[in-house]
Amino acid sequence: MKLSAANVARVSVAGAVAASALLLFAGPASAHVSVQPLGQAAKGGSAVVNFKVPTERDDASTVKLEVNLPADHPLASVSAQAMPGWKITVTKTKLAKPLELHGSKVTEAVSKVTWTADGSAKVPPGQFQMFPLSLSPLPEDTDQLVFKALQTYDNKEVVRWIEVPKEGAPEPQNPAPVLKLTAAVPADDHAAAGPAAASTAAADEASAKKDDPKTTSASGTISDTTARVLGIVGIVVGIAGVTFGVLAGRRRAA
């Protein structure tokens, strides 16, 4: 059956309206506090992660974020990046079982990091803010880390992103941020990276020498000196040739 141009237009409009409706319903569900690594978060390695915090309210702004680190997989090293307009508070807890980091025992670990807006710094409606953390070393005996977070608005409302998502189940109303861990990097990969790194270093050194002002100046001086010497030799040879020609002419005339 062939559709007329009018029917095609009606179908297109209906499809567009349906798609818009799906986006409207899907939007609020996906706008929750989440965590993503910059690059990969490999087991046993280090990672910088960003907690993305959107402001979902139309009449309030986000002024505080509390991130609770997993107690079942404590991290020996946690550091926050300074952010203008935000006060950062790091809370540590004594560990029942010490951790080892670079050959030293760690008896306490960071259990919570809190960002509080100072003055005019806040996340307005319709905008989001990234809150970065450096984590190391990541555990090797789990595939994910769950960070329970509390988001506070300037109207005193607190949204608790603490529900742990379960595989195969619908996403909860207020899911906790989950960091997925990738497989550990094999030791062979680190060894293989050695020659490549050495070649890169050699190339960088050669490039640095090429761009070094001292090296460039010395090369320029040598080139200038050589050119001057060759120029003087050319002048002397030219004068000798003219003199020889004059003398030869006189001999012929005699």
Side-chain angles (χ1 to χ4, degrees):
M1 181 180 65
K2 294 184 179 181
L3 294 176
S4 65
N7 288 333
V8 172
R10 291 191 188 99
V11 172
S12 300
V13 171
V17 171
S20 300
L22 288 174
L23 289 175
L24 287 174
F25 282 108
S30 61
H32 51 69
V33 175
S34 59
V35 59
Q36 293 183 347
L38 295 178
Q40 289 188 340
K43 298 178 182 180
S46 303
V48 174
V49 301
N50 272 329
F51 288 88
K52 182 180 180 181
V53 181
T55 293
E56 298 179 290
R57 303 297 180 261
D58 296 330
D59 56 352
S61 299
T62 301
V63 293
K64 186 178 180 180
L65 174 68
E66 299 174 60
V67 173
N68 293 276
L69 279 73
D72 55 344
H73 292 96
L75 299 165
S77 177
V78 177
S79 58
Q81 180 179 342
M83 296 175 58
W86 293 84
K87 177 184 177 183
I88 302 175
T89 304
V90 177
T91 303
K92 293 185 177 182
T93 302
K94 192 172 183 62
L95 298 174
K97 181 180 179 181
L99 300 174
E100 285 195 7
L101 180 64
H102 304 309
S104 301
K105 287 188 176 181
V106 179
T107 59
E108 60 179 11
V110 175
S111 57
K112 182 171 67 174
V113 179
T114 304
W115 292 265
T116 306
D118 184 10
S120 61
K122 57 181 65 176
V123 188
Q127 298 184 22
F128 68 89
Q129 176 69 52
M130 294 291 195
F131 296 84
L133 280 182
S134 175
L135 311 175
S136 178
L138 298 174
E140 300 181 13
D141 57 349
T142 184
D143 295 327
Q144 65 180 27
L145 291 176
V146 179
F147 300 86
K148 296 184 178 182
L150 276 67
Q151 179 182 10
T152 303
Y153 289 95
D154 56 8
N155 62 359
K156 309 302 181 183
E157 178 188 3
V158 178
V159 182
R160 301 169 63 84
W161 304 98
I162 61 173
E163 300 177 50
V164 181
K166 295 182 179 180
E167 187 175 356
E171 185 179 66
Q173 183 68 26
N174 294 314
V178 177
L179 177 66
K180 299 292 185 180
L181 303 181
T182 60
V185 178
D188 293 343
D189 289 354
H190 290 293
S199 299
T200 302
D204 291 343
E205 183 179 357
S207 177
K209 288 182 178 180
K210 180 180 179 182
D211 297 334
D212 189 355
K214 294 181 180 179
T215 305
T216 304
S217 177
S219 300
T221 302
I222 294 173
S223 299
D224 290 345
T225 303
T226 303
R228 290 172 184 171
V229 171
L230 292 176
I232 294 172
V233 170
I235 292 172
V236 171
V237 171
I239 293 173
V242 172
T243 303
F244 178 79
V246 170
L247 294 176
R250 290 179 180 177
R251 288 175 182 173
R252 292 193 192 97

